[in-house]
């Protein structure tokens, strides 16, 4: 094993491929729940209502396909985001592994990356993906908040039209509105990948027992459980990020006049004054309902592809 290892010593092609496939899986399973969460958080019509009321109202008024409003940015974007997120995660894991952040595997199968190493890799990967994620999430949020059933009645006819209007009114940098909130939100991947690895190690203790899970089942369980841990800690920052991106909603968006961008502090203060601490946790139920199946499947695909490609080296 080399004594030092640079980030560029391993091109993360395997991680990029596995991450892209994981992103597609997450969109297919979870986008409808994300639409409900966004509307609960930001639409004043649903301020005092829960997830099932919002779901029922959306289906009655706009039909089933309304759940997939704004799906184009994440269908392409989340795949790219997860490709960067999980590709860089793979690179950071290898970098930390080859630079001494290792420990003896309790099963006696060699060295493995420490739990802190998995956590730091998740933190760095989350921050690395933020510049790409911000404009994609911004377009998604603004499209999801449109309540009109007919496309012709909506201000934004689609993601390209939304981006063009935003650039006309606020310039290219307007596409990165909410970036600081996105950084705070994505820093919570520290906890997601800590929880995933801790759960995988816990499940490995059943080795040799009649109810020992297969590696695929372990990935499903650990991925779903890690996502619940992530959202419990990240939802306040997601709420702030989305409010920053939606500003000045529910006031109309101007097509020509630049709108001052709110700060993390001003949005957090506004949420607290309007709704108290509970306001930071609006949308948590649909997050939980969506998070377990979508992330369980995403982790299953990601980890499975890494093993198939022979790329997993940090877990023994």
């Amino acid at each position: 094993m080399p004594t030092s290892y640079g980030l560029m010593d391993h091109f993360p092609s395997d991680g990029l491929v596995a991450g892209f496939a994981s992103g597609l899986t997450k969109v297919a399973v979870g986008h409808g729940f994300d639409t409900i969460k966004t509307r609960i958080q930001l639409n004043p019509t649903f301020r005092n209502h829960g997830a099932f009321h919002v779901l029922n109202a959306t289906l009655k008024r706009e039909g089933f396909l309304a759940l997939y409003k704004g799906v184009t940015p994440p269908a392409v974007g989340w795949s790219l985001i997860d490709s960067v997120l999980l590709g860089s995660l793979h690179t950071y894991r290898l970098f930390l592994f080859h630079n001494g952040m290792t420990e003896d595997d309790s099963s006696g199968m060699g060295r493995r990356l420490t739990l802190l190493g998995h956590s730091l890799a998740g933190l760095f990967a989350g921050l690395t993906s933020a510049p790409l994620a911000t404009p994609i999430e911004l377009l998604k949020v603004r499209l999801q908040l449109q309540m009109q059933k007919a496309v012709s009645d909506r201000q934004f006819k689609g993601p390209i039209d939304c981006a063009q209007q935003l650039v006309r009114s606020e310039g290219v940098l307007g596409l990165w509105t909410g970036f600081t909130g996105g950084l705070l939100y994505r820093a919570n991947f520290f906890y997601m990948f800590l929880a995933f690895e801790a759960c995988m190690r816990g499940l490995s203790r059943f080795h040799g027992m009649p109810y020992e899970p297969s590696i695929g089942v372990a990935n499903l369980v650990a991925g779903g459980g890690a996502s619940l841990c992530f959202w419990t800690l990240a939802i306040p920052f997601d709420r702030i990020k989305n409010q920053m991106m939606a500003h000045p909603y529910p006031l109309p968006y101007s097509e020509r006049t630049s709108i001052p961008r709110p700060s993390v502090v001003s949005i957090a203060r506004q949420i607290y004054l309007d709704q108290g601490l509970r306001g930071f946790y609006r949308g948590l139920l649909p997050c939980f309902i969506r998070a377990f199946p979508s992330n369980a499947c995403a982790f299953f695909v990601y980890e499975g592809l890494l093993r198939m490609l022979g790329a997993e080296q940090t877990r023994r």
Side-chain angles (χ1 to χ4, degrees), residues 99-117:
N99 281 278
M101 194 168 280
T102 60
E103 63 186 7
D104 288 323
D105 189 337
S106 58
S107 65
M109 297 181 65
R111 304 289 291 175
R112 65 183 180 186
L113 188 63
T114 63
L115 283 175
L116 178 59

Side-chain angles (χ1 to χ4, degrees), residues 175-241:
L175 292 170
W176 277 268
T177 298
F179 178 68
T180 51
L183 286 174
L184 292 174
Y185 162 71
R186 291 188 164 270
N188 286 275
F189 281 110
F190 177 99
Y191 303 107
M192 172 175 264
F193 292 105
L194 167 64
F196 177 78
E197 184 61 21
C199 190
M200 287 293 294
R201 294 186 184 189
L203 292 171
S204 71
R205 295 181 182 276
F206 294 104
H207 180 68
M209 299 182 183
Y211 37 87
E212 175 189 359
S214 66
I215 186 66
V217 170
N219 289 159
L220 286 168
V221 173
S227 69
L228 298 183
C229 174
F230 170 81
W231 278 110
T232 299
L233 297 168
I235 189 70
F237 304 103
D238 178 72
R239 175 75 171 89
I240 293 169
K241 168 183 69 71

